[in-house]
């Protein structure tokens, strides 16, 4: 039996309806004092749970699809796992190097060249410059941007931009990969290339959790499916089970 | 494949807690710090004609205006150092600190997009803003020596102490920058009011005037302004001007800076994990 890569127990995220933290000074001071005294703050009644009581376990090397309609809480769940957002309840443990791709090309600046953005994006994903340098040729070859590498990305076509962004992401070696609808970009030929790259990662034992609405793509990569609705994890089983429910709910 | 440098076990919990080994994680992300700072400087001057020479033009023009005023007001000389040089030795570190903490105060909203999508130690953001401003500082530091050559003034052995005051200026910029970044994430009033506040601060600090203008009973209290010890330190190191309070002011400045830095780090690290929620 393989080890556990991701263990999530009763994870939840509550947002206040106005979408912000305390606004007024005295509230903030109160909160800061409470924080210093390590007291739990009372929950605001005007709030909702974007994710509630989610528990599941992902074993090493598993490829799991996370499905659900818009607003079901998939992205918030991934954001909590990637430490971008702090949960309101519960806990999770992730073993191994984790890379979260909640978007492609994080931190890309239009005024900078493709090359500069590659290194910046790498740095933000936690990849050392020296290692990025050894991979640069491969990333450029994969992205097919060729001679445009030293041109500011503001002059790139949107396809080129996404291809470069995906290529960086695809060349980050990691144990646990979280992806939020960044699975396949570009034209159909490039999408096929992206998928091949992903298949290879899965074959090599990378643990993957993918949020996507492309059921056909998920079917090629994943064996297991999680289905979420209104913040709750409703199905944790075979991929077909989750995709059936997803099709049923979106058809209605 | 490229190896991602994230921790091998990540624990996520709703518990309010202090990040584990926060300085270690900042150190681990030092490459990001440098890349961000470089990018800041590059983008600041990319579409600029004068480029990084702005870092010298800005204090130079201010020195010219202040010197013109000094002449009009009757040219009172008490320091034995030509007024333009006296003003410039303080203006260059002053410009750096104000520039750095202003940039740092904007650093979190400016990078909101990345904060919302990628995890990395958020302390990197205000620190890289300070580092980017330090590049301008390094260029601006050419101004006082240029004026010293012009006036034929050689530095004394006190020059050896200059690194202390450079470090002090950087520490103040970082301390204030971390505090302001934190405050501005919650209250945008912070960055909005900053130009006004720094202007008042300019007049309350002996940059354009000499320290003997401060009434004797206020001399000690004036040392609570952390800029005072730094600026007087620069003047002493570069041109040998020393007020009787110099040592006290430098020590007081360090105390204020270290208190600001310690408290700022605590507040920042405590609120960092919920940044994405309220930015």
């Amino acid at each position: 039996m393989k080890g556990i890569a991701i263990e999530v127990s009763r994870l939840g995220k509550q947002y206040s309806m106005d979408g912000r933290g305390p606004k007024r000074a005295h509230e903030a001071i109160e909160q800061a004092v409470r924080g210093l005294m390590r007291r739990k703050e009372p929950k605001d009644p005007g709030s909702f749970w974007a994710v509630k009581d989610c528990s599941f376990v992902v074993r090493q090397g598993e490829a799991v699809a996370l499905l659900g309609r818009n607003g079901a809480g998939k992205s918030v769940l991934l954001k909590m796992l990637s430490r971008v957002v702090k949960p309101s309840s519960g806990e999770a443990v992730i073993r191994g190097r984790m890379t979260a791709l909640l978007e492609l090309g994080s931190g890309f600046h239009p005024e900078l060249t493709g090359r500069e953005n590659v290194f910046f994006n790498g740095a933000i994903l936690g990849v050392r410059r020296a290692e990025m340098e050894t991979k640069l040729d491969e990333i450029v070859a994969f992205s097919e941007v060729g001679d445009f590498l030293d041109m500011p990305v503001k002059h790139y076509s949107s396809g080129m931009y996404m291809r470069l962004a995906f290529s960086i992401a695809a060349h980050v070696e990691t144990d646990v990969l979280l992806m939020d609808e960044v699975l396949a970009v570009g034209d159909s030929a490039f999408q096929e290339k992206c998928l091949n790259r992903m298949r290879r990662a899965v074959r090599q034992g990378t643990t993957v959790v993918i949020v996507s609405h492309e059921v056909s793509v998920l079917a090629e990569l994943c064996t297991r499916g999680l289905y979420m609705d209104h913040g709750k994890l409703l199905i944790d089983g075979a991929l077909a089970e989750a995709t059936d429910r997803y099709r049923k709910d979106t058809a209605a | 494949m490229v190896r991602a440098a994230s921790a091998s076990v990540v624990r996520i919990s709703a518990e309010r807690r202090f990040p584990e080994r926060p300085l270690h994680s900042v150190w681990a992300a030092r490459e990001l710090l440098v890349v961000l700072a470089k990018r800041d400087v590059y983008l600041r001057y990319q579409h600029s004609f004068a480029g990084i020479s702005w870092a010298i033009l800005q204090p130079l023009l201010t020195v010219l205006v202040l010197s013109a005023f000094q002449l009009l007001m009757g040219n009172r000389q008490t320091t034995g150092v030509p007024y333009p040089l006296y003003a410039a030795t303080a203006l260059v570190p002053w410009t750096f600190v104000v520039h750095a903490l202003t940039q740092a105060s904007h650093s979190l909203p400016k990078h909101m997009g990345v904060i919302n999508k990628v995890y990395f130690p958020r302390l990197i953001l205000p620190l890289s803003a300070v580092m980017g401003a330090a590049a301008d500082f390094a260029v601006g530091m050419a101004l006082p020596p240029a004026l010293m050559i012009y006036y034929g003034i050689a530095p004394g052995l006190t020059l050896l102490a200059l690194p202390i005051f450079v470090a002090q200026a950087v520490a103040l910029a970082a301390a204030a920058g971390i505090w302001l970044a934190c405050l501005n994430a919650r209250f945008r009033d912070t960055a909005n009011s900053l130009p006004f506040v720094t202007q008042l601060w300019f007049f309350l600090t002996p940059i354009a005037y000499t320290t003997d203008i401060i009434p004797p009973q206020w001399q000690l209290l004036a040392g609570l302004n952390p800029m005072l010890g730094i600026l007087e330190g620069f003047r002493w190191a570069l041109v040998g001007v020393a007020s009787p309070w110099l040592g006290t002011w430098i020590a007081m400045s360090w105390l204020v800076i270290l208190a600001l830095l310690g408290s700022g780090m605590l507040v920042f690290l405590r609120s960092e994990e919920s940044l994405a929620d309220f930015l």
Side-chain angles (χ1 to χ4, degrees), chain A residues 13 22 31 35 41 79-84 86-98 102-103 106-107 109 111-112 120 124 126-129 131 135 171-173 197, chain B residues 1-16 28 30-32 35-36 39 42-43 46-47 113-120 122 186-187 270 273 276-278:
Chain A
K13 178 69 190 179
Q31 196 196 27
E41 39 201 281
K79 278 190 173 186
M80 285 192 282
L81 293 180
S82 62
R83 290 191 287 177
V84 165
K86 185 180 167 56
S88 312
S89 72
E91 53 196 0
V93 179
I94 292 142
R95 293 191 182 81
R97 295 182 305 273
M98 168 175 60
L102 303 184
E103 69 175 352
S106 289
H109 196 289
E111 297 282 352
L112 298 180
F120 186 77
I124 231 167
V127 183
R128 295 251 167 276
R129 186 179 176 94
E131 296 170 51
K135 277 288 143 186
H171 287 80
V172 175
E173 184 187 275
R197 187 85 200 177
Chain B
M1 283 213 156
V2 183
R3 190 158 287 265
S6 34
S8 58
V9 176
V10 177
R11 287 171 204 285
I12 295 149
S13 149
E15 300 268 303
R16 251 183 186 283
R30 61 191 180 279
E31 284 192 351
L32 178 60
V35 174
L36 257 174
R39 197 173 85 149
Y42 177 77
L43 291 172
Q46 195 206 11
H47 288 299
V114 193
I115 289 174
N116 259 310
K117 296 291 185 188
V118 196
Y119 171 80
F120 56 91
R122 310 306 191 199
R186 189 73 78 152
F187 311 106
R270 279 209 76 88
E273 45 182 14
D277 284 347
F278 59 77

Side-chain angles (χ1 to χ4, degrees), chain A:
Chain A
M1 194 60 112
K2 280 187 174 172
I4 290 167
I6 305 173
E7 194 172 0
V8 178
S9 42
R10 304 184 62 92
L11 208 59
K13 178 69 190 179
Q14 190 183 35
Y15 283 110
S16 58
M17 291 304 263
D18 65 356
R20 306 191 64 105
K23 259 183 223 149
R24 275 172 290 171
H26 71 90
E27 286 173 329
I29 292 163
E30 244 175 71
Q31 196 196 27
V33 171
R34 231 182 271 120
L36 286 172
M37 295 168 74
R38 293 167 185 273
R39 296 258 170 80
K40 277 253 151 80
E41 39 201 281
K43 294 294 177 205
D44 178 9
S47 60
F48 73 101
W49 288 86
V51 173
K52 192 156 173 63
D53 265 347
C54 269
S55 302
F56 60 93
V57 168
V58 178
R59 299 202 168 272
Q60 276 166 15
E62 249 185 321
V64 179
L66 183 53
L67 283 145
R69 295 195 297 176
N70 288 331
K74 311 176 296 285
S75 295
V76 176
L77 182 58
L78 283 199
K79 278 190 173 186
M80 285 192 282
L81 293 180
S82 62
R83 290 191 287 177
V84 165
V85 158
K86 185 180 167 56
S88 312
S89 72
E91 53 196 0
V93 179
I94 292 142
R95 293 191 182 81
R97 295 182 305 273
M98 168 175 60
T99 303
L101 303 171
L102 303 184
E103 69 175 352
L104 288 178
S106 289
F108 264 34
H109 196 289
E111 297 282 352
L112 298 180
T113 66
R115 185 191 300 272
E116 288 160 338
N117 275 310
V118 167
F119 286 110
F120 186 77
N121 190 235
I124 231 167
L125 292 173
V127 183
R128 295 251 167 276
R129 186 179 176 94
E131 296 170 51
M132 220 58 210
E133 259 156 16
T134 63
K135 277 288 143 186
L136 184 65
D137 290 344
E138 215 176 309
I139 290 171
V140 174
F142 189 91
S143 69
E144 301 164 19
V145 297
D147 296 339
F148 295 103
L149 185 65
D150 289 307
M151 187 191 264
V153 296
K154 67 178 172 186
H155 298 312
Y156 278 29
S157 72
S158 49
M160 255 161 72
Y161 183 99
M162 293 311 283
R163 290 203 310 266
L164 184 63
F166 183 90
S167 304
I168 306 166
H171 287 80
V172 175
E173 184 187 275
T174 191
D175 300 323
V176 178
L177 187 59
L178 311 176
M179 300 181 95
D180 193 354
E181 304 195 52
V182 292
L183 197 51
V185 297
D187 55 26
S188 53
F190 194 79
Q191 285 185 12
E192 189 50 40
K193 221 161 110 176
C194 296
L195 273 178
N196 278 329
R197 187 85 200 177
M198 289 305 303
R199 278 191 207 102
R200 209 179 93 180
V202 172
R203 259 204 319 278
Q204 288 172 342
T206 310
T207 310
V208 189
V209 178
I210 306 170
V211 168
S212 175
H213 293 282
E214 304 271 344
V215 174
S216 58
V217 171
L218 289 172
E220 292 200 46
L221 288 170
C222 306
T223 48
R224 194 175 143 199
L226 302 173
Y227 181 79
M228 285 181 78
D229 192 29
H230 289 96
K232 295 201 179 89
L233 184 61
L234 297 185
I235 294 173
D236 176 358
L239 180 69
E241 221 181 307
T243 52
D244 285 353
R245 176 66 187 266
Y246 175 70
R247 284 209 186 88
K248 207 182 85 192
D249 280 9
T250 46

Side-chain angles (χ1 to χ4, degrees), chain B residues 187-238:
Chain B
F187 311 106
R188 296 293 145 84
D189 323 46
T190 313
N192 291 340
S193 59
L194 207 52
F196 169 69
V197 172
T198 52
Q199 198 178 20
L200 286 185
W201 194 13
F202 177 84
F203 289 114
L204 288 171
T205 307
I207 298 162
Y209 53 88
T210 52
T211 55
D212 55 4
I213 286 179
I214 307 170
Q217 66 271 30
W218 291 98
Q219 293 259 340
L220 180 64
L221 208 63
L224 286 177
N225 173 0
M227 280 308 290
L228 185 55
I230 297 174
L231 304 185
E232 286 298 292
F234 267 84
R235 281 171 172 157
W236 175 65
L238 285 169

Side-chain angles (χ1 to χ4, degrees), chain B residues 33 100 103-105 107-108 111 121-131 173-174 177-179 181-182 268:
Chain B
L33 178 73
Q103 295 290 324
S105 77
S107 61
L108 297 177
H111 293 101
R122 310 306 191 199
L123 207 49
I124 294 288
L125 295 172
L127 290 181
S128 74
V130 171
M131 200 184 250
I178 290 167
W179 258 111
C182 217
F268 192 99

